[in-house]
Amino acid sequence: MSPSTAIQTFRAIDVIRKKRDSIELSQAEIEYFIDAYTRGEIPDYQVSAWLMAVLLRGMTRAETAALTDAMLHSGEVLDLSGLPARKVDKHSTGGVGDKTSLVLAPLVAAAGVAVPMISGRGLGHTGGTLDKLESIPGFNVNLPVAEFRRVLESCGCAMIGQTAEIAPADRKLYALRDVTGTVESPYLICASIMSKKLAEGIDALVLDVKTGSGAFMKNENDAAFLAELMVETGERMGKRVLALITDMDQPLGNMIGNALEVVEVVDVLRGGGPQDLRELCLELAAWMLHLGGASKTVAEGRRRSAELIASGKALEKFRQMIELQAGDPRVNDDLKRLPQAQKITDVLSPKAGYLASIQCEQIGTACVILGGGRERKEDSVDPSVGIVLHKKVGDRIAKAESIASIHYNSEPRAERARQLIVESCAIADTPPTAKRLLIHKIIGRSAESN
Amino acid sequence: MSPSTAIQTFRAIDVIRKKRDSIELSQAEIEYFIDAYTRGEIPDYQVSAWLMAVLLRGMTRAETAALTDAMLHSGEVLDLSGLPARKVDKHSTGGVGDKTSLVLAPLVAAAGVAVPMISGRGLGHTGGTLDKLESIPGFNVNLPVAEFRRVLESCGCAMIGQTAEIAPADRKLYALRDVTGTVESPYLICASIMSKKLAEGIDALVLDVKTGSGAFMKNENDAAFLAELMVETGERMGKRVLALITDMDQPLGNMIGNALEVVEVVDVLRGGGPQDLRELCLELAAWMLHLGGASKTVAEGRRRSAELIASGKALEKFRQMIELQAGDPRVNDDLKRLPQAQKITDVLSPKAGYLASIQCEQIGTACVILGGGRERKEDSVDPSVGIVLHKKVGDRIAKAESIASIHYNSEPRAERARQLIVESCAIADTPPTAKRLLIHKIIGRSAESN
């Protein structure tokens, strides 16, 4: 149905009433509603009532797919069919210390699978890929679409921020959800994520859905529900989609803070880095390679990824991408070229024992307090500050041993961060009973055949 | 809590989230929300999300009372304490042919109970008291508050439209509910009705909650739920409140249309009129007298009301009120002074049998089609047109006998109305098994002691 026909046929009030009364909306009704809202023909106050009805009544899978599709087509959908390689992306629901995107884009591109990655900024306690990239001197995340395509063609990966042309309905809806208590609906979260990702013109998508104290979804069942919803929505729209439910009960890796996270990314690409981060990157890369047709099995994808790191090809790809996006590629060899905080101080353990748990969201908040994140969209970010954890959950710890180092530029901020870190680390006499698995569950049809 | 403190303490988003999550709102939170909205400090899009959450999550009795109170105090509350008489009003949820207000105001005032009545206009298939009054030549329903008080002091009753000073929050909220699918919540309906009625400065209120095919609440359980909610809300606010659940499965009385309904009002005040209308007026008046302290029991109130009609005192009071509100009091003696439609035509029964049912809402719609009501607020109303029913449910009817007369000024409109009337009257070979009771149920603490 063309938009002009739809406008004559439907009324916003009927779409609201139907959703209120749990009557399934047709694809045409949802298309009309999103299209007319994007064009300013339906006022915010009608849409916010509808959003609340969606939050409280839910949506069917068909409605969720229709909403995603309508939001996707509210703006430009990149046509990357000119690129011979398959296009695969990864999306994470966000957490603390999650820098996998920076590892995955060059690693997967090195295997011949194209990665056209459009990312976001950090907000609240979670970090953002764009902020991390911008800690690399000169790195430009604001490329026009034509330039994005050129970088992608040259080196197989490119990483930019959302442009005004991509899914404008999502931007408008997100701003409204933020002030009307309608952020938390899994259906709306799914449509928001999937519409933006599918606008990249990709063939397949790997979703990293975080769960735990540092994640948006604190509860594993909620995370699994969202994951299944996104997988089914993507599959209904003809894409290969797979989701991993992964742990965010403690920060991923050891470093939190923009430039510090780039350091850890280079460590991983050099074949080192902390075990949990490295493991998750290999697992996600393996699935991206598999869905991108570069490996017959996931096991083969895992081997291939490890080889590309060992051979230095992944790091070389990272250098290429930095250079093509106007960044200083020398950071790869000389990490001191990244912004450095003026001072470093240690957070000492008040007693001996085992690190029993970390309130992960608090660690993210401590980084924001240091200046490494933003509480409001308008805030600027200090790329140099952050936290380096020396202990992870389950580790033994001596009295007055350093739990973490704080990289800071302001004494009072460092003191507040220290207090938060101390409060968020529980030290017990005995080790925690069971260490949580990094990867909880894999969801998607492709998972079953592997 | 004073508004200025409240504003500093609360945030709209938290009020929305709490309601969304079924957490009871405090009186201070509701007060803040309504107060800030009325003053334009909370945007429509936040309030509409909250309204949808209220519709889907409901409200506790304490929340409903707090909302009513906040809306009541958003504007002027009349102080009629200078009047020695007790002040009692009646409110009807609206229906077809419901002209009881015009009988009750003078009848109850004749018994020494003051009736300060603020009414509305017709919308959709239901008629409005103000439109009926305005069919009396010269009658002015737009009195300023001081003039309203003077009429009330002079004759014990006065009937006007809502002023800008009364419950402005309700006007703003109602306009928003109308376009956001949030009209139907009993909690919001209760707060809307009760805030306006209690702003009249009354001591007691009798509610006539309609149920049936011509009512807003088609279902008797819904009507009873709303009635109980309004009674409890009024009682929590220190008023004597009682509700009657009454039948609107067929029009009340025989006449529908503005001037025609005034004719029937005068008939009742003269001691005649159709039996159902007369019975309901006596019952409502009896309760108003009882709650107003003019009769010890409801039975005594019923006798007293019948006497005031028989003695002509109620009709005389009606004449006084018309005169004080600039209307032509001669209509009481000469009903031809009311606007007359140019033509009258009969709707003949297509077959013999019994009138089994009337689709009451359709009869109201037929009157709107004739020009006697409005589909949109801006529409003007033709006071002269309408429908006179010659048969009511259960009546025997011969083939080609007149079911109803149509008073009209436009041939094509009359034809559409005729068709609707024919369609809405079901004629059966046998009489309907059980005639519905006019009064289904009486709800309120006062009911138990009578």
Side-chain angles (χ1 to χ4, degrees):
Chain A
M1 179 169 286
S2 77
S4 60
T5 321
I7 287 151
Q8 286 158 357
T9 318
F10 301 113
R11 297 191 314 158
I13 183 79
D14 298 327
V15 175
I16 300 169
R17 285 201 190 115
K18 271 187 152 176
K19 182 38 69 190
R20 176 195 72 188
D21 298 339
S22 291
I23 299 165
E24 188 176 41
L25 295 169
S26 70
Q27 172 151 17
E29 284 169 319
I30 291 173
E31 214 173 78
Y32 150 75
F33 197 75
I34 296 303
D35 185 52
Y37 178 53
T38 308
R39 285 187 286 106
E41 286 165 14
I42 299 179
D44 283 341
Y45 56 77
Q46 289 192 308
V47 176
S48 63
W50 182 81
L51 289 168
M52 183 58 81
V54 168
L55 188 138
L56 292 175
R57 292 298 204 186
M59 277 191 148
T60 64
R61 299 303 158 108
E63 285 177 312
T64 310
L67 177 61
T68 305
D69 190 65
M71 287 166 65
L72 165 64
H73 288 105
S74 69
E76 191 180 343
V77 179
L78 299 189
D79 178 8
L80 298 176
S81 56
L83 250 79
R86 283 220 215 156
K87 277 71 65 179
V88 181
D89 194 9
K90 182 228 57 159
H91 176 82
S92 161
T93 57
V96 179
D98 182 1
K99 66 280 284 176
T100 56
S101 290
L102 278 73
V103 175
L104 291 168
L107 173 54
V108 172
V113 175
V115 185
M117 204 177 254
I118 299 180
S119 305
R121 298 199 175 270
L123 190 61
H125 73 280
T126 65
T129 296
L130 299 182
D131 298 324
K132 293 167 197 178
L133 287 168
E134 282 183 343
S135 73
I136 299 169
F139 197 100
N140 183 7
V141 298
N142 299 311
L143 304 182
V145 168
E147 185 61 22
F148 176 64
R149 191 189 298 264
R150 259 197 303 278
V151 174
L152 194 59
E153 281 168 4
S154 298
C155 80
C157 60
M159 301 177 84
I160 59 165
Q162 212 187 328
T163 70
E165 293 78 28
I166 299 275
D170 178 65
R171 247 195 323 287
K172 235 182 135 170
L173 283 169
Y174 194 85
L176 189 59
R177 284 167 60 203
D178 197 35
V179 292
T180 55
T182 52
V183 166
E184 290 85 345
S185 160
Y187 309 97
L188 299 176
I189 293 170
C190 169
S192 174
I193 292 173
M194 297 301 285
S195 66
K196 281 182 291 192
K197 283 288 154 187
L198 300 184
E200 292 170 350
I202 50 178
D203 304 300
L205 178 64
V206 174
L207 295 159
D208 182 6
V209 181
K210 301 293 190 187
T211 181
S213 66
F216 192 70
M217 302 275 164
K218 310 289 177 204
N219 174 309
E220 192 175 328
N221 286 338
D222 292 345
F225 182 82
L226 174 63
E228 278 162 21
L229 201 58
M230 291 196 288
V231 168
E232 185 171 335
T233 301
E235 284 174 349
R236 276 173 179 263
M237 297 172 78
K239 308 295 174 184
R240 298 186 74 185
V241 183
L242 184 117
L244 272 68
I245 313 291
T246 74
D247 191 59
M248 193 37 77
D249 230 15
Q250 60 178 327
L252 184 63
N254 301 332
M255 302 198 184
I256 305 110
N258 297 299
L260 287 170
E261 295 195 34
V262 174
V263 170
E264 207 164 54
V265 163
V266 174
D267 283 350
V268 171
L269 290 172
R270 280 175 179 170
Q275 194 258 331
D276 61 346
L277 175 62
R278 190 179 155 83
E279 189 190 322
L280 182 59
C281 287
L282 289 176
E283 186 70 18
L284 290 167
W287 281 106
M288 290 172 79
L289 262 56
H290 179 55
L291 296 190
S295 70
K296 282 211 170 143
T297 65
V298 183
E300 190 194 317
R302 222 176 276 121
R303 277 194 304 277
R304 184 86 197 281
S305 301
E307 282 163 22
L308 289 165
I309 288 176
S311 66
K313 285 184 182 157
L315 184 66
E316 177 51 31
K317 193 57 84 181
F318 190 47
R319 184 193 315 272
Q320 277 178 32
M321 182 182 72
I322 292 173
E323 199 156 17
L324 286 164
Q325 294 200 225
D328 181 353
R330 291 172 297 176
V331 294
N332 280 3
D333 308 308
D334 181 8
L335 291 164
K336 292 267 179 321
R337 289 185 178 271
L338 290 166
Q340 307 277 326
Q342 286 159 25
K343 294 178 197 170
I344 300 175
T345 179
D346 278 301
V347 180
L348 306 183
S349 176
K351 63 173 185 173
Y354 295 88
L355 188 50
S357 68
I358 299 179
Q359 272 299 328
C360 184
E361 185 170 336
Q362 303 278 71
I363 301 291
T365 303
C367 183
V368 173
I369 286 170
L370 292 170
R374 49 174 78 77
E375 291 179 59
R376 289 165 309 171
K377 281 180 193 160
E378 314 79 64
D379 295 347
S380 67
V381 158
D382 181 347
S384 68
V385 297
I387 297 155
V388 179
L389 294 177
H390 304 306
K391 300 287 173 183
K392 301 278 297 235
V393 171
D395 284 356
R396 203 159 180 172
I397 193 162
K399 190 179 170 178
E401 194 183 351
S402 175
I403 305 174
S405 302
I406 298 174
H407 294 234
Y408 67 101
N409 292 320
S410 148
E411 209 72 57
R413 286 173 179 236
E415 274 321 298
R416 286 173 58 207
R418 178 195 303 277
Q419 205 158 343
L420 260 182
I421 295 167
V422 169
E423 280 169 12
S424 56
C425 292
I427 294 161
D429 294 335
T430 50
T433 44
K435 216 188 150 193
R436 281 170 70 103
L437 289 170
L438 176 65
I439 294 154
H440 298 227
K441 208 172 174 185
I442 299 172
I443 293 168
R445 262 188 287 175
S446 316
E448 289 147 27
S449 56
N450 256 275
Chain B
M1 179 169 285
S2 77
S4 60
T5 321
I7 287 151
Q8 286 159 357
T9 319
F10 302 114
R11 297 191 315 159
I13 184 79
D14 298 326
V15 175
I16 300 169
R17 285 200 189 114
K18 271 186 153 177
K19 182 38 68 190
R20 175 195 74 187
D21 298 340
S22 291
I23 300 165
E24 188 176 42
L25 295 170
S26 70
Q27 172 150 16
E29 283 169 319
I30 291 173
E31 214 173 77
Y32 150 73
F33 197 76
I34 296 303
D35 185 53
Y37 178 54
T38 308
R39 285 186 287 105
E41 288 165 14
I42 300 179
D44 284 341
Y45 56 77
Q46 289 192 309
V47 176
S48 63
W50 181 80
L51 289 168
M52 184 57 81
V54 168
L55 188 139
L56 292 175
R57 291 298 203 187
M59 276 191 149
T60 64
R61 299 303 158 106
E63 285 178 312
T64 310
L67 177 61
T68 305
D69 191 65
M71 286 167 64
L72 164 64
H73 289 105
S74 70
E76 191 180 344
V77 180
L78 298 189
D79 178 7
L80 298 176
S81 56
L83 249 78
R86 282 221 216 156
K87 278 70 65 179
V88 181
D89 194 10
K90 181 229 59 161
H91 176 82
S92 160
T93 57
V96 179
D98 182 2
K99 66 281 283 177
T100 56
S101 290
L102 279 71
V103 175
L104 291 169
L107 173 53
V108 173
V113 174
V115 185
M117 204 177 254
I118 300 182
S119 305
R121 297 199 176 270
L123 190 61
H125 73 280
T126 65
T129 296
L130 299 182
D131 297 324
K132 294 168 196 179
L133 286 169
E134 283 182 343
S135 75
I136 300 168
F139 197 99
N140 183 7
V141 297
N142 300 311
L143 303 184
V145 168
E147 185 62 21
F148 177 63
R149 192 188 298 265
R150 258 197 302 278
V151 174
L152 194 59
E153 281 168 3
S154 298
C155 81
C157 61
M159 301 177 83
I160 59 166
Q162 212 188 327
T163 70
E165 292 79 27
I166 299 275
D170 178 64
R171 248 196 321 288
K172 232 180 138 171
L173 283 169
Y174 194 85
L176 190 59
R177 285 166 60 204
D178 197 35
V179 292
T180 56
T182 52
V183 167
E184 291 85 346
S185 161
Y187 308 97
L188 299 175
I189 294 169
C190 168
S192 174
I193 291 174
M194 297 302 284
S195 66
K196 280 182 291 192
K197 283 289 153 185
L198 300 184
E200 292 171 350
I202 49 178
D203 303 300
L205 178 63
V206 174
L207 296 160
D208 183 7
V209 182
K210 302 292 190 187
T211 181
S213 66
F216 192 69
M217 302 273 164
K218 310 288 178 206
N219 174 309
E220 192 175 328
N221 287 338
D222 292 346
F225 182 81
L226 175 63
E228 279 162 21
L229 200 59
M230 291 196 288
V231 168
E232 184 171 335
T233 301
E235 284 174 349
R236 276 174 179 264
M237 296 172 80
K239 308 294 175 185
R240 298 187 75 185
V241 184
L242 185 117
L244 273 66
I245 313 290
T246 74
D247 192 58
M248 193 36 79
D249 230 16
Q250 61 179 329
L252 184 64
N254 300 332
M255 302 199 183
I256 304 110
N258 297 300
L260 287 170
E261 295 194 36
V262 174
V263 170
E264 207 163 54
V265 164
V266 173
D267 283 350
V268 171
L269 289 172
R270 280 176 179 169
Q275 194 257 331
D276 60 345
L277 175 62
R278 190 180 156 83
E279 187 188 325
L280 182 59
C281 287
L282 287 176
E283 186 71 18
L284 290 168
W287 281 105
M288 290 173 79
L289 262 55
H290 179 55
L291 296 190
S295 70
K296 283 210 170 146
T297 64
V298 183
E300 190 195 318
R302 221 176 276 119
R303 276 195 303 276
R304 184 84 198 280
S305 302
E307 283 164 20
L308 289 164
I309 289 176
S311 67
K313 285 182 183 158
L315 184 64
E316 177 51 30
K317 193 58 83 181
F318 190 48
R319 183 194 315 272
Q320 278 176 34
M321 181 182 72
I322 292 173
E323 197 154 18
L324 286 164
Q325 295 200 223
D328 182 353
R330 292 173 295 176
V331 294
N332 279 3
D333 308 307
D334 180 8
L335 291 164
K336 292 269 179 321
R337 289 184 176 270
L338 289 166
Q340 308 276 327
Q342 286 160 25
K343 295 178 197 168
I344 300 174
T345 177
D346 279 302
V347 181
L348 305 183
S349 176
K351 62 172 185 174
Y354 294 87
L355 188 49
S357 69
I358 300 179
Q359 271 299 328
C360 185
E361 183 170 337
Q362 302 279 71
I363 301 291
T365 303
C367 184
V368 173
I369 286 170
L370 291 170
R374 47 176 80 76
E375 290 179 62
R376 288 165 310 170
K377 281 178 194 161
E378 314 79 64
D379 295 347
S380 67
V381 158
D382 180 347
S384 69
V385 298
I387 297 155
V388 179
L389 294 177
H390 304 306
K391 299 288 173 184
K392 301 278 297 234
V393 171
D395 285 354
R396 204 160 177 170
I397 193 162
K399 190 177 171 180
E401 193 183 351
S402 175
I403 304 174
S405 303
I406 298 174
H407 294 234
Y408 67 102
N409 292 320
S410 148
E411 210 71 59
R413 286 173 178 237
E415 274 321 297
R416 285 173 59 208
R418 178 195 302 278
Q419 205 158 343
L420 260 183
I421 295 167
V422 169
E423 281 168 11
S424 56
C425 293
I427 293 160
D429 294 335
T430 50
T433 44
K435 215 188 153 195
R436 281 171 70 104
L437 289 169
L438 176 63
I439 294 155
H440 298 229
K441 208 171 174 186
I442 299 173
I443 292 168
R445 262 188 288 174
S446 316
E448 289 148 27
S449 57
N450 255 276

